Amino acid sequence: MPEENIVRTKEVWKVYQMGKVEVEALKGISVEIKAGEYLSIMGPSGSGKTTFFNMVGGLDKPSSGKVYIDEVDVAQLDAYELAWLRCRKIGYIFQTFNIIPVMTALENVTLPMTFAGLTTDESRDKGVELLTKVGLGDRVTHKPFELSGGQQQRVAIARAMANDPAIILADEPTGNLDLRTGREIIELLREMNDDSGVTIISATHDMKMISVSDRVVWIRDGQVEKIERREDLDIAVGTIDGKEEA
Amino acid sequence: MSESEFVAYRAAKIGKQIVLPLSKAVEISLKGMSIRFWRSLLTVSLIVLAIAFLVYILATAAIVASLVRLDDPQINIILQRSGVEAQEIGAGGQGSLFAQISHKQYWLIVLSLMVCVVGITNAMLMSVTERFREIGTMKCLGALDSFIVKLFLLESSFQGIMGTAAGIVLGVILAILHTLVVYGSSSFRVFPGLTVLSIAGISLFIGTCLSVVGAILPAVRAARMEPVVAMRVEE
């Protein structure tokens, strides 16, 4: 695995103005994420996890400090470059799936390819290929409401992979799924990570996620509480899995 | 390479690499309309009513004007009875369309068109609020602000064209019925087809413009939406 940083944050602070009170959501977070890594960001709600996650994905800008994606300072990018970044570099997966309801599974997957300038034929072929890869080869023309939650999330994963991104950003990808479907989705993400070397960053409080993550960043009160590598986690995860199976 | 150089290099290199071809945009907005058929119908009905009123007034005036030009003594009596100005009648070829529209009617037309624009804006704003997650998702997939504006304006202009077409048909039918009842079958004899056709053309233009104007504010609001709204969980 290359030792190149795909995302790097330096002393990131985020301060929100709530009426007259200033709320510090992030208090100086510095994290380095390597290319090809499977990283989970864990933390209770209100810990600043989501805020930090949005920073890493270029969806929010820090009050102070720097976020580098592929060694480029996100704060310096204009709207056009940010769109380019979102289209080509980052694939997003949402807790609520966010499949565009008016489009079929295939059209959802081909939309980012259309933005990236691929022709209709090219994007259709690639879209079918991606949907087959996530196990929906026989459902390409289905509308979102004809698909189950797990299937919708598979479409979302195929869509996130559309332009061969360097990073997949998954916000609670299993939050709206049952235990088994959630596990399948996690396995699929791990597979994508192994096959194409795409960096996966997910914000979650799903303990199932830990067993596949290379590293887990724990956030509490806007600060990094601890960063654990998988080797250090294995034993703890075993018991959690055991409980779930029982 | 320093950081700023790298950014500049990247900006130059990417050029116009994020695109949304017009044909695709048309496809997406048509699909959006068909799936939200009833909401679209509500917006369209606003235009139908406003344009039907406009066309009804104009077409009736055109028919009356051609009856005035006809200068038939029997019809002149009916014209007089229904309040057409005496100096107009029997002037022989002087009857013009605009002479048949009162100031009050002008005001009513202007007001109804204004109400229509406000109604369209309101309906489109609701549609934007309903679709905030969809818009946020599109932006996460790399859509530029201009794509969102394009989609909304296209959708609105299709609605405008459909609504106006229906409004023209409705307005012309009403005008014919009105003149048939008041002036009898002679109004058919002098039906000013060409004038009514040009009224239809002008109305189509006005209706489409109104629809697009009404959608500008909602479209810009949608385009300014931050992509992060797609992440929100609450419905």
mmCIF file with all atom_site columns, all heavy atoms in Angstrom, chain A residues 136-152:
data_model
loop_
_atom_site.group_PDB
_atom_site.id
_atom_site.type_symbol
_atom_site.label_atom_id
_atom_site.label_alt_id
_atom_site.label_comp_id
_atom_site.label_asym_id
_atom_site.label_entity_id
_atom_site.label_seq_id
_atom_site.pdbx_PDB_ins_code
_atom_site.Cartn_x
_atom_site.Cartn_y
_atom_site.Cartn_z
_atom_site.occupancy
_atom_site.B_iso_or_equiv
_atom_site.pdbx_formal_charge
_atom_site.auth_seq_id
_atom_site.auth_comp_id
_atom_site.auth_asym_id
_atom_site.auth_atom_id
_atom_site.pdbx_PDB_model_num
ATOM 1   N N   . LEU A 1 136 ? -26.404 -6.167  -8.895  1.00 0.00 ? 136 LEU A N   1
ATOM 2   C CA  . LEU A 1 136 ? -27.727 -5.736  -9.354  1.00 0.00 ? 136 LEU A CA  1
ATOM 3   C C   . LEU A 1 136 ? -27.837 -5.782  -10.878 1.00 0.00 ? 136 LEU A C   1
ATOM 4   O O   . LEU A 1 136 ? -28.581 -5.020  -11.480 1.00 0.00 ? 136 LEU A O   1
ATOM 5   C CB  . LEU A 1 136 ? -28.025 -4.310  -8.869  1.00 0.00 ? 136 LEU A CB  1
ATOM 6   C CG  . LEU A 1 136 ? -28.227 -4.120  -7.368  1.00 0.00 ? 136 LEU A CG  1
ATOM 7   C CD1 . LEU A 1 136 ? -28.420 -2.643  -7.052  1.00 0.00 ? 136 LEU A CD1 1
ATOM 8   C CD2 . LEU A 1 136 ? -29.428 -4.901  -6.874  1.00 0.00 ? 136 LEU A CD2 1
ATOM 9   N N   . GLY A 1 137 ? -27.059 -6.700  -11.477 1.00 0.00 ? 137 GLY A N   1
ATOM 10  C CA  . GLY A 1 137 ? -27.028 -6.796  -12.934 1.00 0.00 ? 137 GLY A CA  1
ATOM 11  C C   . GLY A 1 137 ? -28.398 -6.996  -13.569 1.00 0.00 ? 137 GLY A C   1
ATOM 12  O O   . GLY A 1 137 ? -28.646 -6.572  -14.692 1.00 0.00 ? 137 GLY A O   1
ATOM 13  N N   . ASP A 1 138 ? -29.310 -7.616  -12.808 1.00 0.00 ? 138 ASP A N   1
ATOM 14  C CA  . ASP A 1 138 ? -30.630 -7.899  -13.366 1.00 0.00 ? 138 ASP A CA  1
ATOM 15  C C   . ASP A 1 138 ? -31.649 -6.816  -13.010 1.00 0.00 ? 138 ASP A C   1
ATOM 16  O O   . ASP A 1 138 ? -32.835 -6.965  -13.247 1.00 0.00 ? 138 ASP A O   1
ATOM 17  C CB  . ASP A 1 138 ? -31.125 -9.261  -12.857 1.00 0.00 ? 138 ASP A CB  1
ATOM 18  C CG  . ASP A 1 138 ? -31.066 -9.356  -11.332 1.00 0.00 ? 138 ASP A CG  1
ATOM 19  O OD1 . ASP A 1 138 ? -30.339 -8.528  -10.727 1.00 0.00 ? 138 ASP A OD1 1
ATOM 20  O OD2 . ASP A 1 138 ? -31.740 -10.219 -10.755 1.00 0.00 ? 138 ASP A OD2 1
ATOM 21  N N   . ARG A 1 139 ? -31.189 -5.725  -12.410 1.00 0.00 ? 139 ARG A N   1
ATOM 22  C CA  . ARG A 1 139 ? -32.146 -4.712  -11.962 1.00 0.00 ? 139 ARG A CA  1
ATOM 23  C C   . ARG A 1 139 ? -31.826 -3.322  -12.495 1.00 0.00 ? 139 ARG A C   1
ATOM 24  O O   . ARG A 1 139 ? -32.254 -2.321  -11.913 1.00 0.00 ? 139 ARG A O   1
ATOM 25  C CB  . ARG A 1 139 ? -32.165 -4.656  -10.436 1.00 0.00 ? 139 ARG A CB  1
ATOM 26  C CG  . ARG A 1 139 ? -32.771 -5.884  -9.806  1.00 0.00 ? 139 ARG A CG  1
ATOM 27  C CD  . ARG A 1 139 ? -33.197 -5.624  -8.386  1.00 0.00 ? 139 ARG A CD  1
ATOM 28  N NE  . ARG A 1 139 ? -34.254 -6.514  -7.973  1.00 0.00 ? 139 ARG A NE  1
ATOM 29  C CZ  . ARG A 1 139 ? -34.087 -7.797  -7.712  1.00 0.00 ? 139 ARG A CZ  1
ATOM 30  N NH1 . ARG A 1 139 ? -32.904 -8.351  -7.871  1.00 0.00 ? 139 ARG A NH1 1
ATOM 31  N NH2 . ARG A 1 139 ? -35.099 -8.546  -7.333  1.00 0.00 ? 139 ARG A NH2 1
ATOM 32  N N   . VAL A 1 140 ? -31.094 -3.267  -13.600 1.00 0.00 ? 140 VAL A N   1
ATOM 33  C CA  . VAL A 1 140 ? -30.612 -1.963  -14.070 1.00 0.00 ? 140 VAL A CA  1
ATOM 34  C C   . VAL A 1 140 ? -31.738 -0.993  -14.400 1.00 0.00 ? 140 VAL A C   1
ATOM 35  O O   . VAL A 1 140 ? -31.608 0.211   -14.213 1.00 0.00 ? 140 VAL A O   1
ATOM 36  C CB  . VAL A 1 140 ? -29.681 -2.094  -15.302 1.00 0.00 ? 140 VAL A CB  1
ATOM 37  C CG1 . VAL A 1 140 ? -28.330 -2.629  -14.894 1.00 0.00 ? 140 VAL A CG1 1
ATOM 38  C CG2 . VAL A 1 140 ? -30.304 -2.955  -16.374 1.00 0.00 ? 140 VAL A CG2 1
ATOM 39  N N   . THR A 1 141 ? -32.862 -1.500  -14.898 1.00 0.00 ? 141 THR A N   1
ATOM 40  C CA  . THR A 1 141 ? -33.925 -0.574  -15.324 1.00 0.00 ? 141 THR A CA  1
ATOM 41  C C   . THR A 1 141 ? -34.970 -0.349  -14.234 1.00 0.00 ? 141 THR A C   1
ATOM 42  O O   . THR A 1 141 ? -35.995 0.264   -14.487 1.00 0.00 ? 141 THR A O   1
ATOM 43  C CB  . THR A 1 141 ? -34.629 -1.102  -16.589 1.00 0.00 ? 141 THR A CB  1
ATOM 44  O OG1 . THR A 1 141 ? -35.092 -2.431  -16.310 1.00 0.00 ? 141 THR A OG1 1
ATOM 45  C CG2 . THR A 1 141 ? -33.688 -1.127  -17.765 1.00 0.00 ? 141 THR A CG2 1
ATOM 46  N N   . HIS A 1 142 ? -34.700 -0.855  -13.027 1.00 0.00 ? 142 HIS A N   1
ATOM 47  C CA  . HIS A 1 142 ? -35.676 -0.658  -11.951 1.00 0.00 ? 142 HIS A CA  1
ATOM 48  C C   . HIS A 1 142 ? -35.624 0.768   -11.417 1.00 0.00 ? 142 HIS A C   1
ATOM 49  O O   . HIS A 1 142 ? -34.579 1.379   -11.342 1.00 0.00 ? 142 HIS A O   1
ATOM 50  C CB  . HIS A 1 142 ? -35.406 -1.643  -10.810 1.00 0.00 ? 142 HIS A CB  1
ATOM 51  C CG  . HIS A 1 142 ? -35.865 -3.033  -11.114 1.00 0.00 ? 142 HIS A CG  1
ATOM 52  N ND1 . HIS A 1 142 ? -36.609 -3.777  -10.238 1.00 0.00 ? 142 HIS A ND1 1
ATOM 53  C CD2 . HIS A 1 142 ? -35.709 -3.807  -12.204 1.00 0.00 ? 142 HIS A CD2 1
ATOM 54  C CE1 . HIS A 1 142 ? -36.880 -4.953  -10.780 1.00 0.00 ? 142 HIS A CE1 1
ATOM 55  N NE2 . HIS A 1 142 ? -36.327 -4.992  -11.976 1.00 0.00 ? 142 HIS A NE2 1
ATOM 56  N N   . LYS A 1 143 ? -36.787 1.256   -11.023 1.00 0.00 ? 143 LYS A N   1
ATOM 57  C CA  . LYS A 1 143 ? -36.874 2.563   -10.361 1.00 0.00 ? 143 LYS A CA  1
ATOM 58  C C   . LYS A 1 143 ? -36.579 2.365   -8.874  1.00 0.00 ? 143 LYS A C   1
ATOM 59  O O   . LYS A 1 143 ? -36.809 1.281   -8.342  1.00 0.00 ? 143 LYS A O   1
ATOM 60  C CB  . LYS A 1 143 ? -38.289 3.133   -10.547 1.00 0.00 ? 143 LYS A CB  1
ATOM 61  C CG  . LYS A 1 143 ? -38.556 3.671   -11.950 1.00 0.00 ? 143 LYS A CG  1
ATOM 62  C CD  . LYS A 1 143 ? -38.202 5.149   -12.018 1.00 0.00 ? 143 LYS A CD  1
ATOM 63  C CE  . LYS A 1 143 ? -38.078 5.665   -13.435 1.00 0.00 ? 143 LYS A CE  1
ATOM 64  N NZ  . LYS A 1 143 ? -39.318 5.723   -14.172 1.00 0.00 ? 143 LYS A NZ  1
ATOM 65  N N   . PRO A 1 144 ? -36.097 3.421   -8.194  1.00 0.00 ? 144 PRO A N   1
ATOM 66  C CA  . PRO A 1 144 ? -35.730 3.282   -6.779  1.00 0.00 ? 144 PRO A CA  1
ATOM 67  C C   . PRO A 1 144 ? -36.826 2.667   -5.908  1.00 0.00 ? 144 PRO A C   1
ATOM 68  O O   . PRO A 1 144 ? -36.527 1.848   -5.033  1.00 0.00 ? 144 PRO A O   1
ATOM 69  C CB  . PRO A 1 144 ? -35.459 4.723   -6.360  1.00 0.00 ? 144 PRO A CB  1
ATOM 70  C CG  . PRO A 1 144 ? -35.069 5.399   -7.604  1.00 0.00 ? 144 PRO A CG  1
ATOM 71  C CD  . PRO A 1 144 ? -35.774 4.727   -8.724  1.00 0.00 ? 144 PRO A CD  1
ATOM 72  N N   . PHE A 1 145 ? -38.094 3.045   -6.149  1.00 0.00 ? 145 PHE A N   1
ATOM 73  C CA  . PHE A 1 145 ? -39.148 2.527   -5.265  1.00 0.00 ? 145 PHE A CA  1
ATOM 74  C C   . PHE A 1 145 ? -39.396 1.037   -5.487  1.00 0.00 ? 145 PHE A C   1
ATOM 75  O O   . PHE A 1 145 ? -40.118 0.402   -4.718  1.00 0.00 ? 145 PHE A O   1
ATOM 76  C CB  . PHE A 1 145 ? -40.443 3.333   -5.423  1.00 0.00 ? 145 PHE A CB  1
ATOM 77  C CG  . PHE A 1 145 ? -41.016 3.340   -6.809  1.00 0.00 ? 145 PHE A CG  1
ATOM 78  C CD1 . PHE A 1 145 ? -41.792 2.277   -7.241  1.00 0.00 ? 145 PHE A CD1 1
ATOM 79  C CD2 . PHE A 1 145 ? -40.769 4.402   -7.676  1.00 0.00 ? 145 PHE A CD2 1
ATOM 80  C CE1 . PHE A 1 145 ? -42.317 2.276   -8.523  1.00 0.00 ? 145 PHE A CE1 1
ATOM 81  C CE2 . PHE A 1 145 ? -41.292 4.401   -8.957  1.00 0.00 ? 145 PHE A CE2 1
ATOM 82  C CZ  . PHE A 1 145 ? -42.069 3.336   -9.378  1.00 0.00 ? 145 PHE A CZ  1
ATOM 83  N N   . GLU A 1 146 ? -38.805 0.462   -6.542  1.00 0.00 ? 146 GLU A N   1
ATOM 84  C CA  . GLU A 1 146 ? -38.927 -0.978  -6.759  1.00 0.00 ? 146 GLU A CA  1
ATOM 85  C C   . GLU A 1 146 ? -37.761 -1.744  -6.124  1.00 0.00 ? 146 GLU A C   1
ATOM 86  O O   . GLU A 1 146 ? -37.658 -2.947  -6.288  1.00 0.00 ? 146 GLU A O   1
ATOM 87  C CB  . GLU A 1 146 ? -38.970 -1.288  -8.258  1.00 0.00 ? 146 GLU A CB  1
ATOM 88  C CG  . GLU A 1 146 ? -40.132 -0.638  -8.966  1.00 0.00 ? 146 GLU A CG  1
ATOM 89  C CD  . GLU A 1 146 ? -39.968 -0.634  -10.484 1.00 0.00 ? 146 GLU A CD  1
ATOM 90  O OE1 . GLU A 1 146 ? -38.839 -0.507  -10.967 1.00 0.00 ? 146 GLU A OE1 1
ATOM 91  O OE2 . GLU A 1 146 ? -40.993 -0.744  -11.161 1.00 0.00 ? 146 GLU A OE2 1
ATOM 92  N N   . LEU A 1 147 ? -36.882 -1.007  -5.445  1.00 0.00 ? 147 LEU A N   1
ATOM 93  C CA  . LEU A 1 147 ? -35.705 -1.642  -4.855  1.00 0.00 ? 147 LEU A CA  1
ATOM 94  C C   . LEU A 1 147 ? -35.773 -1.571  -3.334  1.00 0.00 ? 147 LEU A C   1
ATOM 95  O O   . LEU A 1 147 ? -36.310 -0.611  -2.777  1.00 0.00 ? 147 LEU A O   1
ATOM 96  C CB  . LEU A 1 147 ? -34.436 -0.920  -5.332  1.00 0.00 ? 147 LEU A CB  1
ATOM 97  C CG  . LEU A 1 147 ? -34.149 -0.937  -6.831  1.00 0.00 ? 147 LEU A CG  1
ATOM 98  C CD1 . LEU A 1 147 ? -32.995 0.007   -7.152  1.00 0.00 ? 147 LEU A CD1 1
ATOM 99  C CD2 . LEU A 1 147 ? -33.819 -2.330  -7.316  1.00 0.00 ? 147 LEU A CD2 1
ATOM 100 N N   . SER A 1 148 ? -35.221 -2.581  -2.677  1.00 0.00 ? 148 SER A N   1
ATOM 101 C CA  . SER A 1 148 ? -35.170 -2.570  -1.211  1.00 0.00 ? 148 SER A CA  1
ATOM 102 C C   . SER A 1 148 ? -34.073 -1.609  -0.750  1.00 0.00 ? 148 SER A C   1
ATOM 103 O O   . SER A 1 148 ? -33.273 -1.131  -1.552  1.00 0.00 ? 148 SER A O   1
ATOM 104 C CB  . SER A 1 148 ? -34.875 -3.973  -0.705  1.00 0.00 ? 148 SER A CB  1
ATOM 105 O OG  . SER A 1 148 ? -33.539 -4.307  -1.012  1.00 0.00 ? 148 SER A OG  1
ATOM 106 N N   . GLY A 1 149 ? -34.045 -1.342  0.560   1.00 0.00 ? 149 GLY A N   1
ATOM 107 C CA  . GLY A 1 149 ? -33.037 -0.437  1.100   1.00 0.00 ? 149 GLY A CA  1
ATOM 108 C C   . GLY A 1 149 ? -31.619 -0.881  0.775   1.00 0.00 ? 149 GLY A C   1
ATOM 109 O O   . GLY A 1 149 ? -30.793 -0.090  0.334   1.00 0.00 ? 149 GLY A O   1
ATOM 110 N N   . GLY A 1 150 ? -31.365 -2.166  0.965   1.00 0.00 ? 150 GLY A N   1
ATOM 111 C CA  . GLY A 1 150 ? -30.035 -2.699  0.684   1.00 0.00 ? 150 GLY A CA  1
ATOM 112 C C   . GLY A 1 150 ? -29.674 -2.550  -0.791  1.00 0.00 ? 150 GLY A C   1
ATOM 113 O O   . GLY A 1 150 ? -28.544 -2.204  -1.130  1.00 0.00 ? 150 GLY A O   1
ATOM 114 N N   . GLN A 1 151 ? -30.673 -2.782  -1.648  1.00 0.00 ? 151 GLN A N   1
ATOM 115 C CA  . GLN A 1 151 ? -30.419 -2.654  -3.087  1.00 0.00 ? 151 GLN A CA  1
ATOM 116 C C   . GLN A 1 151 ? -30.174 -1.199  -3.471  1.00 0.00 ? 151 GLN A C   1
ATOM 117 O O   . GLN A 1 151 ? -29.310 -0.897  -4.295  1.00 0.00 ? 151 GLN A O   1
ATOM 118 C CB  . GLN A 1 151 ? -31.610 -3.219  -3.868  1.00 0.00 ? 151 GLN A CB  1
ATOM 119 C CG  . GLN A 1 151 ? -31.652 -4.735  -3.824  1.00 0.00 ? 151 GLN A CG  1
ATOM 120 C CD  . GLN A 1 151 ? -32.969 -5.292  -4.335  1.00 0.00 ? 151 GLN A CD  1
ATOM 121 O OE1 . GLN A 1 151 ? -33.989 -4.605  -4.353  1.00 0.00 ? 151 GLN A OE1 1
ATOM 122 N NE2 . GLN A 1 151 ? -32.953 -6.539  -4.751  1.00 0.00 ? 151 GLN A NE2 1
ATOM 123 N N   . GLN A 1 152 ? -30.935 -0.297  -2.832  1.00 0.00 ? 152 GLN A N   1
ATOM 124 C CA  . GLN A 1 152 ? -30.715 1.120   -3.102  1.00 0.00 ? 152 GLN A CA  1
ATOM 125 C C   . GLN A 1 152 ? -29.307 1.534   -2.697  1.00 0.00 ? 152 GLN A C   1
ATOM 126 O O   . GLN A 1 152 ? -28.646 2.302   -3.404  1.00 0.00 ? 152 GLN A O   1
ATOM 127 C CB  . GLN A 1 152 ? -31.733 1.974   -2.345  1.00 0.00 ? 152 GLN A CB  1
ATOM 128 C CG  . GLN A 1 152 ? -33.126 1.862   -2.916  1.00 0.00 ? 152 GLN A CG  1
ATOM 129 C CD  . GLN A 1 152 ? -34.053 2.931   -2.350  1.00 0.00 ? 152 GLN A CD  1
ATOM 130 O OE1 . GLN A 1 152 ? -33.658 4.059   -2.117  1.00 0.00 ? 152 GLN A OE1 1
ATOM 131 N NE2 . GLN A 1 152 ? -35.296 2.563   -2.138  1.00 0.00 ? 152 GLN A NE2 1
#
